[in-house]
Amino acid sequence: MNGWTDFIITFVTLFLELAVLFIFISFLISLLQQNISEDKIKRMLDRPNKFISYLYGVGLGAISPFCSCSTIPILAGLLSSGAPFGPTMTFLIASPLLNPVIIILIGTLMGWNAALFYTVIVAIFAILIGVVWMTLGLADFVKEVRVRKSKTETEHNTEQPKWRVALQDAWGFFYPVLPFLVIGVLIGSFIHGFLPEEIIVRFAGGDQPWAIPVASIIGIPMYIRAEAILPIADALVSKGMGIGSIIALVIGGAGASIPEVVLLSKLFKRRLVIAFLISILSVAIIAGFIAQSIL
């Protein structure tokens, strides 16, 4: 009964938190787009120096202390504003992974050398992924993204307060993805409530050669939010899981959680979703092996 009680509490709490946060951020994005011109948004990520543009993508992600699910409305806003694809994808990778909560908890639980390593490696790979995806032409696999009414439509409704337009936009974006959010939270809550930590340690602990790849894959369904996965990671360390496996677990989970993937499927075509998953798992595995060898 404790497992089912934990499952129900986790599901209800998480769904309400994510739904409120999702709508709230969508509301803020709509207000932002109504009050700030699209040109200003584009200029944030469209600098003459392309390297600076990607650094802005990393920086914007790092100062957005949101979970992976709440990154999606921001991503949709950037895409709908016409921001350049490469730096925007760098933001997508950096935002959940460079969440200050994750970095601070890694520093607290595993040491600040680990936190510094994590920050640097994620920033480098976020830029590389944006550059590679741009070079491969994956921008063609973004679906039509529309968060708010066009300026022409808004001008025809000047009698409507901006907050009301923003509320309509927020609900308009949230409603179509509601079933995907429910499915993602259900799966994540079930695994969180019923998957024993001992199983994870058995397959991803110690010096097993497959530990880091397995940890990166396990992290995807296991992840719910940083505040949940990192205390679990701390317990796993005490049971013998290596630091490389923990880094892989955090990157795999925070970077490609089930709710984020199902929500991205509303914005990306299948090929880009697959590229996203492959990229996150690759980063998790490479970073895990590097961390295991130098930390």
Side-chain angles (χ1 to χ4, degrees):
M1 285 300 294
N2 287 338
W4 283 106
T5 302
D6 182 55
F7 166 77
I8 294 171
I9 293 174
T10 300
F11 173 79
V12 173
T13 302
L14 224 105
F15 176 78
L16 291 176
E17 287 180 354
L18 290 178
V20 170
L21 191 59
F22 200 95
I23 294 173
F24 178 66
I25 293 176
S26 299
F27 176 82
L28 292 181
I29 290 294
S30 180
L31 281 180
L32 180 67
Q33 290 187 329
Q34 290 180 69
N35 290 279
I36 299 178
S37 69
E38 292 182 354
D39 288 338
K40 289 183 180 179
I41 298 175
K42 292 177 185 177
R43 285 199 297 270
M44 292 175 61
L45 298 175
D46 194 12
R47 302 284 171 169
N49 186 323
K50 297 302 180 184
F51 180 69
I52 298 298
S53 298
Y54 286 98
L55 288 180
Y56 268 95
V58 171
L60 184 60
I63 62 175
S64 303
F66 306 121
C67 69
S68 55
C69 291
S70 56
T71 298
I72 306 305
I74 300 175
L75 174 69
L78 291 173
L79 291 173
S80 68
S81 72
F85 177 75
T88 302
M89 295 301 102
T90 291
F91 164 81
L92 169 65
I93 303 299
S95 183
L97 290 177
L98 290 180
N99 184 331
V101 173
I102 291 180
I103 295 172
I104 291 171
L105 288 178
I106 287 177
T108 302
L109 299 176
M110 290 180 280
W112 293 104
N113 285 338
L116 178 61
F117 166 82
Y118 176 88
T119 302
V120 171
I121 201 77
V122 167
I124 291 172
F125 275 109
I127 292 173
L128 287 177
I129 289 172
V131 172
V132 170
W133 286 9
M134 186 72 177
T135 304
L136 293 177
L138 294 183
D140 295 335
F141 297 94
V142 175
K143 297 179 180 179
E144 279 296 321
V145 179
R146 192 180 182 194
V147 176
R148 65 175 180 86
K149 301 174 179 66
S150 65
K151 288 185 177 180
T152 304
E153 290 174 296
T154 304
E155 288 168 359
H156 288 308
N157 295 279
T158 52
E159 70 280 359
Q160 276 198 318
K162 290 181 178 180
W163 67 266
R164 182 170 296 175
V165 174
L167 192 59
Q168 292 172 354
D169 291 343
W171 177 252
F173 185 78
F174 174 75
Y175 181 75
V177 302
L178 180 58
F180 297 92
L181 186 62
V182 171
I183 292 171
V185 174
L186 269 174
I187 296 173
S189 299
F190 182 84
I191 293 175
H192 178 72
F194 292 99
L195 185 64
E197 293 177 2
E198 289 75 13
I199 292 180
I200 298 172
V201 175
R202 185 183 308 165
F203 290 97
D207 297 323
Q208 302 291 349
W210 59 78
I212 290 172
V214 169
S216 66
I217 295 172
I218 287 176
I220 294 177
M222 180 181 174
Y223 180 84
I224 295 181
R225 53 187 295 171
E227 295 88 337
I229 195 171
L230 284 168
I232 294 174
D234 185 46
L236 295 176
V237 168
S238 69
K239 294 180 180 180
M241 181 177 278
I243 191 169
S245 297
I246 294 299
I247 293 293
L249 184 76
V250 172
I251 292 177
S257 65
I258 290 177
E260 181 181 20
V261 173
V262 295
L263 292 173
L264 276 178
S265 68
K266 297 295 292 183
L267 301 179
F268 294 168
K269 296 179 182 178
R270 181 176 299 176
R271 184 174 298 184
L272 188 49
V273 173
I274 294 173
F276 173 80
L277 287 171
I278 292 174
S279 298
I280 293 296
L281 288 175
S282 299
V283 172
I285 292 169
I286 294 171
F289 278 115
I290 295 174
Q292 193 68 29
S293 63
I294 69 174
L295 291 178

